[in-house]
Amino acid sequence: MKKVDYLIVGQGIAGTLLAWELKKSGQSIFVLNKETENTSSNKAGGLYNPITGRKMVKTWLADEIFPTLETYYADLEKELGASFLFPKAIYRPFFNIEEQNDWQGKASADEFSRYIKSLHHSSLGIDGVEDPFGGLELQMSGSVDLPILIRQARKHLQSRGEYAAEVFEYEQLELLKSGVRYKNFEANRVVFCEGPDATSNPLTNHLPFKPVKGELLKIRTALSGEQIVNRGVFILPKEGFFKVGSTYDHARLDHEPTEAGRKNITERLAKIYKNDFEVVDHTAGVRPATFDRRPFVGMLGSHQQIGVFNGFGTKGVSLVPFFATQFVNYLLGKGELYPEVDLRRVEK
């Protein structure tokens, strides 16, 4: 019988960074993962962006998260011996003069100034990009190549005998007075980091997850790769091509690209980019979102040996490092969870 402190189910970005933080805190772990390419972590753009949404507002918890986010991933790169962090300015064109005037007042305010690299009152002059009213150029922004991060972390876990490719069999989980037993494992706790598969887990399917399908295009075009353009869609330079997305579909939760999705992305792309492009790939994935767009973090009220670390949606790159650290502190009795993410908000 193999004994560990924590059994972690799932190795997307949530499971990967939770395992990492537990190991840093001296806890023994073992990761069980259903290996598949059809995960949101493998298909996501991986953006981190302090000013988001159609209304260009400061993202939730930006002041707590973004000042240390790049340092977190840079330290992880050193530990894993890989490159997956790509700091890069994000350019957000204004749609009208009113937006320009509004940000003229806000740009120097303490609330926003740390995230703004430049405020442009006229076109930045990027070939093909429609920005007659100028726009915001952001800092503390960029992307994380999640497939590289996850692949390197998996190699690290495998080299230490802390990982197995396995579909978790829920009926094999036994609850003990002081922990859990699963096949040849005994653990103090099991934590599920399964992404959208949480809706098929009999222990977590009562939680109000609201998964959402997203589609991405990979295009070839003559565009400068010096910054990420993001307004209506993001245009993310990657390895000589560009990722463009994304869509939001709560109805059809599969991994199949659709013509409707392609049309939706290309029509929105045409509003900010006028040059010709060629679509070279089209992918789809399902994000593990929740009913209130806040993650589910904590232990099940009826079974304190069973934890959940899931539901980070489109902002996993930004949110997971912060809440993985907070969750580990909570598990070790060194702190509390934010009420906005605490599982108890939906378990009452």
Side-chain angles (χ1 to χ4, degrees), residues 31 101 309:
V31 177
N101 291 336
F309 190 65

Side-chain angles (χ1 to χ4, degrees), residues 23-39:
K23 282 164 61 68
K24 280 170 58 179
S25 296
Q27 302 299 293
S28 58
I29 61 100
F30 196 90
V31 177
L32 297 171
N33 181 49
K34 181 179 75 173
E35 292 188 358
T36 173
E37 292 301 313
N38 287 326
T39 67

Side-chain angles (χ1 to χ4, degrees), residues 85-219:
L85 172 66
F86 299 96
K88 194 175 283 285
I90 292 179
Y91 183 54
R92 305 213 65 186
F94 296 134
F95 282 159
N96 49 56
I97 195 67
E98 288 77 18
E99 285 186 344
Q100 183 193 97
N101 291 336
D102 184 41
W103 276 99
Q104 177 67 36
K106 293 195 295 187
S108 59
D110 291 342
E111 182 181 5
F112 296 101
S113 59
R114 67 169 67 179
Y115 306 114
I116 298 174
K117 180 179 179 182
S118 298
L119 173 66
H120 298 274
H121 298 92
S122 57
S123 174
L124 195 58
I126 306 171
D127 185 30
V129 173
E130 288 285 295
D131 62 337
F133 304 101
L136 281 180
E137 197 171 5
L138 304 177
Q139 56 190 6
M140 294 193 200
S141 57
S143 69
V144 173
D145 193 315
L146 292 178
I148 293 177
L149 165 56
I150 290 168
R151 186 165 61 247
Q152 290 300 118
R154 184 175 303 167
K155 289 179 180 178
H156 173 89
L157 293 167
Q158 287 172 328
S159 70
R160 287 156 177 77
E162 298 171 334
Y163 175 94
E166 181 176 329
V167 175
F168 194 85
E169 300 175 38
Y170 306 109
E171 68 278 4
Q172 296 278 356
L173 183 67
E174 300 176 59
L175 301 184
L176 310 175
K177 286 185 178 181
S178 58
V180 298
R181 179 183 294 123
Y182 177 75
K183 296 184 177 179
N184 64 327
F185 291 96
E186 281 190 3
N188 296 331
R189 289 168 169 144
V190 57
V191 182
F192 290 102
C193 310
E194 301 172 287
D197 285 350
T199 58
S200 302
N201 181 339
L203 296 164
T204 61
N205 62 9
H206 65 287
L207 299 173
F209 283 96
K210 194 175 181 181
V212 57
K213 178 179 178 178
E215 300 186 41
L216 284 175
L217 301 181
K218 180 180 179 182
I219 67 171

Side-chain angles (χ1 to χ4, degrees), residues 21 61 297 309 320-332 334-339 341-342:
E21 289 302 314
L61 296 179
V297 181
F309 190 65
V320 171
F322 181 81
F323 284 111
T325 303
Q326 186 180 99
F327 191 26
V328 169
N329 287 336
Y330 171 78
L331 292 170
L332 300 181
K334 299 178 181 178
E336 292 297 322
L337 297 171
Y338 279 15
V341 306
D342 194 330

